[in-house]
Amino acid sequence: MLFSLVKKDFLIVKKYAAIMLIISFAIPPVMVWRTPEASGAMGFTLSVIFSIFMLTQYVSLKEYQYPKATTLLCAAPYPRKMIVLSKYCFCLIIYAVCCVTFGIDTLIFPALGSFDVKMAAMIFLVITILLSVYFPALYKLGYEKTKFAFVIIIMASPVLFAFLFKPENAVKFGFLNVIPAVMITVFSIIIGFVVYFVSALLSIKFFEKRDLT
């Protein structure tokens, strides 16, 4: 059941999935030219944010344009809980694909460095926190009000991460080098999933209260 719902979301974005795949491949190499000192981390972060939020927003737009489709799903043997969880799984799959594309990029462009599991785990934590705020807001307030949050994330993230990854600002995160990489990786993944789980519970609660008539 969950698989069918996730598949449905990918069918909705199938026209743009190939474009986003190309973009996720292209962003890290472009960052080599723009910010060579932090091209790997920044390139991977931006490719994940753009891919997940662009595709998720497109699914939300289509569901907003055709509200009867969601009503029919709820009328069919698809619990509202599964409909919400499918969105969370949808984003996790996109994140996994971005990891693969970035790994391929590092093989083609040595300037990006190697695929760092610790970096991937930390970015996973950042993404889950963003999504853990976005999804409950989406199910609570609706597409019309949350689409502005999407625009802000997409427009602000390149500027914000360019600032954070500057060498003079990166020093402020130097304390992370003292912590064992395994500990950072494990804790980032655990905290990310815990936050994601709590967010899913909130989203389910909000969606179950929504009047779809």
Side-chain angles (χ1 to χ4, degrees):
M1 183 177 293
L2 184 60
F3 173 79
S4 299
L5 291 169
V6 175
K7 181 180 178 181
K8 180 262 299 178
D9 288 340
F10 276 104
L11 288 174
I12 291 175
V13 300
K14 65 180 180 179
K15 292 182 179 180
Y16 299 95
I19 296 174
M20 291 310 306
L21 188 62
I22 293 173
I23 291 175
S24 68
F25 267 114
I27 289 178
V30 170
M31 290 299 104
V32 173
W33 171 59
R34 295 289 297 176
T35 56
E37 67 278 356
S39 54
M42 185 174 177
F44 180 55
T45 303
L46 292 180
S47 67
V48 171
I49 289 177
F50 273 68
S51 298
I52 289 179
F53 279 95
M54 291 293 286
L55 294 179
T56 301
Q57 187 72 2
Y58 185 74
V59 172
S60 299
L61 171 63
K62 288 301 176 183
E63 290 178 343
Y64 173 75
Q65 291 176 337
Y66 303 99
K68 290 185 178 180
T70 302
T71 304
L72 289 173
L73 279 177
C74 293
Y78 288 104
R80 295 194 182 194
K81 176 175 70 175
M82 289 298 175
I83 294 174
V84 172
L85 291 178
S86 68
K87 297 293 186 293
Y88 284 78
C89 292
F90 177 72
C91 294
L92 290 178
I93 293 172
I94 297 173
Y95 174 79
V97 171
C98 288
C99 288
V100 173
T101 58
F102 181 71
I104 296 173
D105 270 334
T106 59
L107 297 177
I108 301 174
F109 304 97
L112 290 171
S114 59
F115 183 80
D116 188 350
V117 177
K118 182 181 76 171
M119 177 190 71
M122 293 174 66
I123 293 173
F124 172 78
L125 176 59
V126 172
I127 293 300
T128 52
I129 290 174
L130 288 175
L131 290 172
S132 295
V133 175
Y134 173 76
F135 276 127
L138 176 65
Y139 285 109
K140 178 69 175 179
L141 304 174
Y143 172 79
E144 272 295 323
K145 294 181 180 179
T146 54
K147 66 181 181 181
F148 298 107
F150 158 77
V151 173
I152 292 172
I153 290 172
I154 293 298
M155 294 184 64
S157 55
V159 178
L160 175 62
F161 286 106
F163 173 77
L164 291 177
F165 287 119
K166 283 183 177 180
E168 60 269 26
N169 294 323
V171 175
K172 298 176 183 178
F173 302 97
F175 70 94
L176 293 175
N177 296 324
V178 181
I179 305 173
V182 175
M183 185 178 295
I184 293 177
T185 302
V186 172
F187 274 93
S188 295
I189 293 173
I190 292 175
I191 295 172
F193 273 114
V194 169
V195 171
Y196 215 49
F197 176 75
V198 173
S199 172
L201 292 179
L202 285 173
S203 296
I204 291 170
K205 180 180 178 181
F206 293 146
F207 189 52
E208 285 181 341
K209 292 182 178 180
R210 182 189 295 181
D211 184 8
L212 299 177
T213 57

